[in-house]
Amino acid sequence: MALKLMYITNNPTIAKIAESSGVDRIFVDLEIIGKAIRQGGMDTVQSHHTLSDVKLIKESLSKSELLVRCNPIHKNVDGYLDTKEEIEEIIKNGADIIMLPFFKTKEEVEFFIKCVNNRVKTMLLFETPESINCLDQILNIEGIDEVFIGLNDLSLGYHKKFMFELLSNGLVEDVCYKFKKKGLVYGFGGVAAIGQGTLPAEKIIKEHYRLGSSSVILSRSFCNVDKIKNIEEIKSIFFNGLKAIRKFEKECKKHKDYFEENRIEVVNIVNSITEVEK
């Protein structure tokens, strides 16, 4: 099976372009509570999507799944709906999958699963050291459909300079192994277009195949619609970019024996990047 590719947008036109190019999941990102503080100074996406965007994007799609990231578990704060109310609205507005971010305890996960109540698929975003510390307990909870490792926040939590250090130091591999033992569908991180990225996209995709990953987010740099306004150019980027990724995946499926060599190259590249930044 090919990787499920996900793209974050609340723009129906962009969502349709992504879908027609072969993006499997359109990702509406409602997470805002606490995100700006913990990611301050990082070049990361803070989407400011709304509940009305969920319905808008759902109506624009014909085959791609709609993935919605809710806020972390919270009570009614700063005018936001509490978690239970937010999840109700997300489901009502048409989400196929709800992703829970930035949890730290099994109790938070249990509450999330209870709120969803088997009405749509659930996805857990492991992005705190605390969630990794109680990983075994969390994975025993019934009702988890998919799991994902969020490298941005997790690398911050472990005080790393470069998020892919968690790939080179074995943490992602160890966590994926536990996911696999539980029979869960899992993915991690983001990927740029083929031929791009500080750690080249090809290296990351090979690691996904080596580790048995099923999904990855197309990073903002894959097609930054904040900078590119020409619709025809956006269409071309998505079409050609998806075509290149799928072609490269076929190579990965044929040559799985080179993954260990790629793992060593990933470690060396990440080490050289972090050495320069010291």
Side-chain angles (χ1 to χ4, degrees):
M1 282 182 61
L3 287 170
K4 286 190 181 295
L5 301 177
M6 304 183 279
Y7 186 76
I8 298 173
T9 185
N10 67 337
N11 183 318
T13 301
I14 302 302
K16 288 178 182 178
I17 291 171
E19 178 183 62
S20 65
S21 299
V23 171
D24 301 283
R25 290 174 172 171
I26 304 301
F27 189 152
V28 172
D29 184 11
L30 302 180
E31 186 189 7
I32 191 69
I33 296 173
K35 195 168 187 178
I37 295 172
R38 69 178 187 263
Q39 292 188 354
M42 292 186 71
D43 183 26
T44 54
V45 179
Q46 293 173 21
S47 302
H48 302 286
H49 295 176
T50 67
L51 282 164
S52 61
D53 291 329
V54 177
K55 186 175 183 181
L56 195 65
I57 295 299
K58 180 64 175 180
E59 291 172 348
S60 73
L61 300 177
S62 58
K63 57 183 179 179
S64 295
E65 290 182 299
L66 175 56
L67 168 66
V68 179
R69 175 159 56 191
C70 64
N71 277 292
I73 300 297
H74 66 282
K75 294 183 179 179
N76 194 310
V77 293
D78 300 326
Y80 295 99
L81 296 176
D82 67 25
T83 295
K84 193 172 188 302
E85 293 170 327
E86 184 178 66
I87 287 173
E88 289 300 318
E89 290 298 310
I90 292 170
I91 293 173
K92 186 173 76 174
N93 288 353
D96 298 301
I97 310 161
I98 303 179
M99 173 189 278
L100 176 67
F102 214 72
F103 55 89
K104 297 181 178 181
T105 67
K106 73 178 183 66
E107 288 77 17
E108 289 177 290
V109 174
E110 286 170 339
F111 180 71
F112 169 69
I113 297 295
K114 184 178 179 181
C115 289
V116 175
N117 195 25
N118 295 310
R119 290 175 290 171
V120 297
K121 290 181 183 177
T122 59
M123 181 187 287
L124 302 183
L125 179 60
F126 286 85
E127 56 179 349
T128 66
E130 293 89 345
S131 68
I132 301 301
N133 290 341
C134 59
L135 179 65
D136 293 333
Q137 292 175 300
I138 290 172
L139 295 186
N140 283 328
I141 297 170
E142 294 292 326
I144 302 168
D145 293 302
E146 296 190 31
V147 284
F148 200 88
I149 304 172
L151 296 181
N152 273 332
D153 276 307
L154 196 55
S155 63
L156 283 176
Y158 283 114
H159 308 290
K160 301 299 183 184
K161 295 180 179 179
F162 183 48
M163 68 178 181
F164 286 109
E165 285 184 74
L166 300 181
L167 190 57
S168 68
N169 71 10
L171 185 140
V172 170
E173 182 162 2
D174 291 343
V175 174
C176 286
Y177 175 74
K178 291 191 175 186
F179 291 161
K180 190 172 185 177
K181 278 185 68 177
K182 282 291 182 181
L184 289 167
V185 175
Y186 57 91
F188 63 86
V191 67
I194 295 295
Q196 297 180 18
T198 308
L199 177 62
E202 296 91 324
K203 303 296 181 187
I204 298 169
I205 291 172
K206 287 178 187 178
E207 284 292 88
H208 277 270
Y209 271 82
R210 183 178 74 85
L211 297 173
S213 168
S214 297
S215 61
V216 65
I217 298 169
L218 295 173
S219 66
R220 177 176 49 176
S221 64
F222 178 85
C223 184
N224 191 343
V225 296
D226 291 332
K227 294 181 178 179
I228 303 166
K229 301 299 181 183
N230 184 286
I231 290 297
E232 293 306 314
E233 184 180 355
I234 291 171
K235 287 180 180 178
S236 176
I237 289 170
F238 269 101
F239 178 79
N240 292 316
L242 266 290
K243 184 178 179 182
I245 288 174
R246 295 311 189 195
K247 180 180 179 181
F248 187 75
E249 284 188 88
K250 289 180 181 178
E251 179 187 335
C252 291
K253 291 171 186 174
K254 289 179 182 177
H255 305 287
K256 287 189 176 182
D257 55 341
Y258 65 23
F259 288 149
E260 179 58 22
E261 180 181 336
N262 178 74
R263 185 191 68 79
I264 294 169
E265 289 181 13
V266 167
V267 171
N268 290 337
I269 293 171
V270 170
N271 286 344
S272 67
I273 292 167
T274 54
E275 282 298 318
V276 169
E277 293 181 353
K278 284 182 180 178

